[in-house]
Amino acid sequence: MKLTIIGTGYVGLVTGTCFAEVGHHVICVDSDANKVEMLRRGGIPIYEPGLEELVKKNVAAGRLSFTNSTAEGVEKSDVIFIAVPTPPQPDGSVDLSYIERVARDIAGAMTSYKIVVDKSTVPVKTGEKVAETIKRYCKAQVEFDVVSNPEFLREGFAVDDLMKPDRVVVGVRSPRPVAAMKQVYEPFNAPIIVTDINSAELIKHASNSFLALKISYINAVSILCEAAGANVQEVATGMGLDDRIGRRFLNAGIGFGGSCFPKDLSAFIKISEQVGYDFRLLKEVQNINAEQMERFIKKITETLWVLKDKKIAVLGLAFKQNTDDVRSSPAIDLCQRMLKEGATLRVHDPKAMDKARAVLPNVTFVDDMNDVAQGCDAIVVATEWDEFKKLDLERSREALSAPIMFDGRNLFDPQEMEKLGWIYKSIGR
Ligand code: UDX
């Protein structure tokens, strides 16, 4: 099929590339001319495992191209996906101005029937607004359908999530676009759920809020575990073996971050408020997440007493493993908090150091994780990178003034660490 994706951020670029990989002909549109030029030359603006090879392969095969002309994208395809940012506003609601702009641009370029698919995460009823906007700005009065098709990809696993989705949600107003949408997704062999547009939009916010709730739940349980002398990981494993619950997203830590969960939670609370429901449960999810960081900082200060003039080694800056993304990263928040207390920091992250430089100007970036502890008073683990489990504990212990580790992601075994002579503090154990 001929498909156009408007917006080449995380969602747009990965979606467009995976659509091309399964054989569709894809045009990716972005208003940023520099980005388009970079992509045409085979450069990738983000780090995402497996993406670069797929982009190069599909560009070479002639199935994937880039342009900054929306008109070209609209003219050459029958199905147009909107994947532009929907950033948060100061009051927690969603800024839909990019979506509205794109809807107008599409309307202005349409000369025949088009299916306009929203992939960006948007509040319920946005599809209705997009349809109204296209109708208003489309001079040619051509027919079109608006579809909601939310994206569930996780950063760091985006290609995998897209190639092997758990489900594909297609929200429609009439049956007309369903066959084309099924054709788009047929090569992915995933269950396709057809709903009305409002339900499809709600599925996305309800899913992300539920996952955030799951994390806050286990973080709350971790407080209980600490107080009672239990181990939150064993509790999570025991709970997770019940397949109604599942083990995933039950890792206690310093809280969730990233560009989705905090934003989607605030948006869902706001959306609920707008339709007359006070979603108190989700407000508590936010509170627990914020408190989790406070409790961790308290743990550090209880042991080190004053942070002023202390040298701390930090492992992890990204908001989670397998990404270079530091947006709303708990690790960055933690670094900034320790800097404010007067500590000096030596930091390491396998992928996110470049992006972190802009937000952490006064810290020392260390290339090798095994050098990070040099001359420090303690090590703090802030991101759940698997490779941190291979830290040279002997070397790090010798490099520190005292063998103290605060593990905000439960990467090490408490008994083992004690045996090795560490003063080891983790979460809920
Ligand atoms: C999330 C959703 O998973 C995805 O479906 C949606 O499309 C976008 O938002 P992402 O933001 O990439 O994806 O990250 P995710 O892997 O969900 O992790 C979010 C945060 O939760 C990270 O900060 C991570 O460290 C934290 N987390 C995750 C935990 O603290 N504990 C867990 O058990 C899982």
Side-chain angles (χ1 to χ4, degrees):
M1 293 180 86
K2 288 192 173 121
L3 309 175
T4 286
I5 319 281
I6 302 183
T8 54
Y10 264 104
V11 171
L13 183 58
V14 182
T15 307
T17 307
C18 292
F19 281 167
E21 175 66 13
V22 299
H24 297 308
H25 284 262
V26 181
I27 304 174
C28 286
V29 181
D30 202 287
S31 54
D32 182 343
N34 292 332
K35 204 169 173 185
V36 168
E37 209 31 62
M38 177 184 185
L39 286 161
R40 278 181 180 155
R41 287 197 312 265
I44 306 289
I46 51 172
Y47 168 75
E48 194 57 51
L51 182 63
E52 191 167 348
E53 299 77 41
L54 281 193
V55 171
K56 286 190 172 134
K57 177 179 160 198
N58 285 285
V59 168
R63 286 191 300 262
L64 180 63
S65 62
F66 301 95
T67 175
N68 52 16
S69 163
T70 304
E72 183 191 335
V74 173
E75 190 198 324
K76 291 188 177 159
S77 297
D78 300 326
V79 187
I80 297 134
F81 291 81
I82 305 178
V84 293
T86 49
Q89 308 199 90
D91 69 347
S93 65
V94 181
D95 175 1
L96 292 168
S97 60
Y98 297 98
I99 298 267
E100 196 264 354
R101 175 79 249 172
V102 170
R104 274 191 282 150
D105 291 347
I106 294 172
M110 275 179 6
T111 53
S112 58
Y113 174 74
K114 302 287 171 192
I115 299 172
V116 180
V117 187
D118 175 49
K119 247 204 178 303
S120 305
T121 301
V122 293
V124 61
K125 287 178 177 294
T126 300
E128 289 174 8
K129 293 274 178 217
V130 169
E132 277 169 30
T133 306
I134 295 179
K135 199 156 187 231
R136 195 173 310 134
Y137 286 90
C138 179
K139 295 209 173 53
Q141 295 303 322
V142 291
E143 291 187 2
F144 66 93
D145 271 297
V146 168
V147 173
S148 165
N149 172 221
E151 184 45 64
F152 299 98
L153 61 80
R154 293 161 302 161
E155 286 182 28
F157 302 92
V159 171
D160 256 17
D161 284 350
L162 239 137
M163 297 304 287
K164 290 176 250 150
D166 293 337
R167 79 302 208 184
V168 173
V169 175
V170 174
V172 292
R173 252 193 328 186
S174 77
R176 188 172 176 187
V178 173
M181 291 303 292
K182 285 192 170 162
Q183 210 183 327
V184 171
Y185 282 104
E186 198 203 79
F188 296 94
N189 290 320
I192 299 178
I193 303 157
V194 180
T195 68
D196 60 276
I197 295 186
N198 289 340
S199 301
E201 288 168 342
L202 275 176
I203 286 171
K204 175 64 194 255
H205 271 122
S207 301
N208 269 3
S209 299
F210 185 80
L211 290 168
L213 176 145
K214 217 175 160 186
I215 299 169
S216 276
Y217 184 82
I218 200 68
N219 280 336
V221 171
S222 81
I223 301 173
L224 214 77
C225 287
E226 274 176 35
N231 182 328
V232 72
Q233 273 175 314
E234 284 169 10
V235 174
T237 304
M239 286 170 63
L241 283 169
D242 181 334
D243 62 13
R244 291 170 303 175
I245 299 174
R247 177 64 179 82
R248 293 168 75 191
F249 283 72
L250 281 183
N251 292 322
I254 53 172
F256 56 79
S259 60
C260 291
F261 282 178
K263 174 188 109 165
D264 290 353
L265 257 185
S266 304
F268 207 33
I269 291 169
K270 200 78 198 166
I271 293 161
S272 307
E273 205 178 288
Q274 280 158 0
V275 296
Y277 176 59
D278 181 6
F279 215 144
R280 294 185 301 278
L281 178 64
L282 294 186
K283 290 180 181 166
E284 199 47 36
V285 169
Q286 288 180 319
N287 291 338
I288 293 170
N289 201 49
E291 279 165 23
Q292 199 66 3
M293 179 62 82
E294 297 307 324
R295 292 175 55 80
F296 190 64
I297 290 169
K298 198 162 156 231
K299 233 175 233 176
I300 298 175
T301 50
E302 267 171 9
T303 306
L304 297 182
W305 194 15
V306 268
L307 286 186
K308 191 167 182 303
D309 300 330
K310 291 271 161 52
K311 212 177 203 184
I312 316 268
V314 180
L315 285 175
L317 300 167
F319 82 96
K320 63 170 193 178
Q321 70 163 329
N322 283 330
T323 179
D324 64 348
D325 197 346
V326 296
R327 288 176 295 172
S328 301
S329 168
I332 299 285
D333 183 20
L334 179 61
C335 287
Q336 283 166 340
R337 297 281 294 270
M338 292 192 292
L339 287 169
K340 215 166 142 208
E341 296 286 322
T344 49
L345 305 183
R346 286 170 60 80
V347 303
H348 169 79
D349 189 282
K351 290 277 180 245
M353 294 210 281
D354 278 347
K355 293 208 167 141
R357 275 177 226 276
V359 281
L360 292 177
N362 298 315
V363 309
T364 306
F365 289 89
V366 182
D367 286 333
D368 184 341
M369 70 172 172
N370 290 315
D371 291 335
V372 77
Q374 200 52 52
C376 288
D377 297 288
I379 298 190
V380 172
V381 179
T383 308
E384 64 272 36
W385 283 97
D386 258 342
E387 52 211 88
F388 293 161
K389 292 181 188 160
K390 296 192 203 107
L391 181 74
D392 187 334
L393 289 168
E394 189 56 38
R395 190 169 143 192
S396 300
R397 206 165 65 98
E398 276 162 21
L400 291 167
S401 61
I404 305 174
M405 183 187 284
F406 301 98
D407 183 354
R409 296 295 180 179
N410 288 351
L411 295 188
F412 297 93
D413 181 66
Q415 268 106 43
E416 280 296 307
M417 292 299 279
E418 256 165 56
K419 243 193 260 161
L420 293 170
W422 285 84
I423 300 165
Y424 176 74
K425 313 260 172 181
S426 56
I427 309 276
R429 311 185 295 175

